[in-house]
Amino acid sequence: IEGDSGSGKSFFMACLKNAVIYDTDLGGGLAEYNKRIKDNGSERVEISSFGELLADIRQRLRDNRLKETIVIDHVTGLHQDALLRHNPTQDSDYGRSNNKATYEWRQVREFSRTFDCNLFCVSHMKAEYEKDKNVGKIADGAKNIEGDMHIVLKLENPKDDKGRKKYPSTANVIKWRRDPSDPRGLPPESFKFTVDEFEKVHGANYKRERDKIVLAKPESLEELNRILSLMDKAKADEMVGKWLKSVGVDSLEFLTEVQVQK
């Protein structure tokens, strides 16, 4: 969900049900909606980095507290934090720090895919340049973040006859992956940006319960590590690295029981 400040992005997220909402604004930008969030069975968590976010959702997975919907409001702050950590002097590094920051984002993306979560992200906007010429605005986040999404909406505020913003915003559909022969029909070019309208356009029940993923049993991991210890270390490390990359996690403890047995 992309849009300028005040376009209703955070309010929409606060209206989602059964979500863990990661609030990245300094001081908690979503704190005003705490009661609404709680009434919706959701939870707000203040974080400042992708590392904190990953640590929290992994702990929720271990404790069987992971909700079916993960919200990041907003990814812009997390990406900027990662850029500063990887390049604190902001010197030209030929995109290396941006690539490292984007990798942190993709860990979150792959976690959501692997463990069957909806992922809603809010992004601010930034200028897009081609050959040093401003050609419009794009999402202010990880490189090609729009390509990672099934749905991309860009918000704009309608105004009344006195020039004041009106609620709700208009959601312009930049991208919505849907087969043209889908019985729901093609999504509209735009719609009123409310949860009710979004659900009407979406059609499918995205609020279904997550398919519970069974993590590997401790005794299974112990046996796997025993077998690996019998191998040449370099070859074992290379093989484990390929396993982890293929399923989008970064340690054996987040493999499923089925994956470990395989």
Side-chain angles (χ1 to χ4, degrees):
I1 313 297
E2 308 169 358
D4 294 327
S5 180
S7 54
K9 304 182 297 296
S10 294
F11 181 73
F12 177 91
M13 299 305 171
C15 293
L16 293 173
K17 297 184 183 300
N18 199 31
V20 53
I21 302 173
Y22 291 103
D23 186 351
T24 73
D25 268 335
L26 290 174
L30 279 156
E32 181 65 29
Y33 304 126
N34 274 343
K35 183 179 184 305
R36 178 181 295 273
I37 290 169
K38 185 177 180 180
D39 290 345
N40 283 327
S42 296
E43 183 179 352
R44 184 178 71 89
V45 181
E46 293 185 20
I47 58 161
S48 59
S49 70
F50 283 120
E52 289 179 21
L53 190 155
L54 279 166
D56 189 77
I57 57 179
R58 286 167 175 165
Q59 188 60 52
R60 289 171 183 274
L61 181 65
R62 293 189 192 98
D63 300 341
N64 199 28
R65 295 183 296 115
L66 185 62
K67 297 179 181 292
E68 65 253 27
T69 296
I70 295 171
V71 173
I72 305 175
D73 187 359
H74 43 82
V75 294
T76 301
L78 299 186
H79 188 67
Q80 290 171 349
D81 167 79
L83 288 174
L84 285 171
R85 279 188 284 105
H86 294 301
N87 186 8
T89 60
Q90 294 297 285
D91 293 332
S92 176
D93 64 355
Y94 304 100
R96 285 191 291 269
S97 57
N98 193 37
N99 289 339
K100 290 178 180 179
T102 296
Y103 173 73
E104 292 188 19
W105 147 253
R106 287 176 178 162
Q107 286 182 292
V108 176
R109 178 198 70 185
E110 290 306 310
F111 184 98
S112 303
R113 190 200 317 270
T114 301
F115 294 104
D116 192 34
C117 299
N118 298 314
L119 180 60
F120 284 79
C121 295
V122 168
S123 171
H124 295 322
M125 307 294 294
K126 66 179 179 181
E128 181 181 18
Y129 291 90
E130 289 183 7
K131 297 180 180 179
D132 296 326
K133 183 179 179 180
N134 188 334
V135 294
K137 289 185 175 182
I138 58 172
D140 189 0
K143 185 178 180 181
N144 298 327
I145 190 171
E146 290 182 347
D148 292 331
M149 301 294 175
H150 287 275
I151 298 169
V152 178
L153 305 176
K154 186 174 291 185
L155 307 187
E156 63 178 359
N157 285 107
K159 294 183 179 180
D160 61 19
D161 53 7
K162 295 183 179 180
R164 297 173 299 193
K165 292 179 180 180
K166 291 168 59 178
Y167 175 83
S169 296
T170 297
N172 296 307
V173 177
I174 306 303
K175 173 183 178 182
W176 197 305
R177 286 179 181 158
R178 184 178 291 179
D179 191 301
S181 62
D182 191 298
R184 293 173 292 175
L186 292 174
E189 291 186 0
S190 62
F191 59 92
K192 291 182 179 179
F193 189 57
T194 66
V195 171
D196 286 345
E197 287 297 316
F198 174 81
E199 290 177 350
K200 287 178 184 177
V201 175
H202 194 283
N205 182 17
Y206 71 93
K207 295 184 291 185
R208 63 171 176 77
E209 284 193 19
R210 288 176 53 246
D211 289 336
K212 295 297 188 293
I213 309 297
V214 179
L215 290 178
K217 300 173 184 176
E219 56 268 29
S220 298
L221 286 173
E222 184 178 348
E223 175 64 6
L224 177 61
N225 281 309
R226 186 191 69 79
I227 295 170
L228 289 170
S229 71
L230 302 175
M231 298 176 58
D232 174 79
K233 186 176 186 308
K235 289 183 178 180
D237 289 346
E238 180 183 2
M239 186 167 64
V240 169
K242 289 179 179 178
W243 291 344
L244 300 180
K245 184 177 181 180
S246 70
V247 296
V249 298
D250 56 8
S251 66
L252 291 175
E253 65 177 312
F254 292 106
L255 294 178
T256 67
E257 181 66 17
V258 171
Q259 288 166 340
V260 169
Q261 293 300 332
K262 183 179 177 181

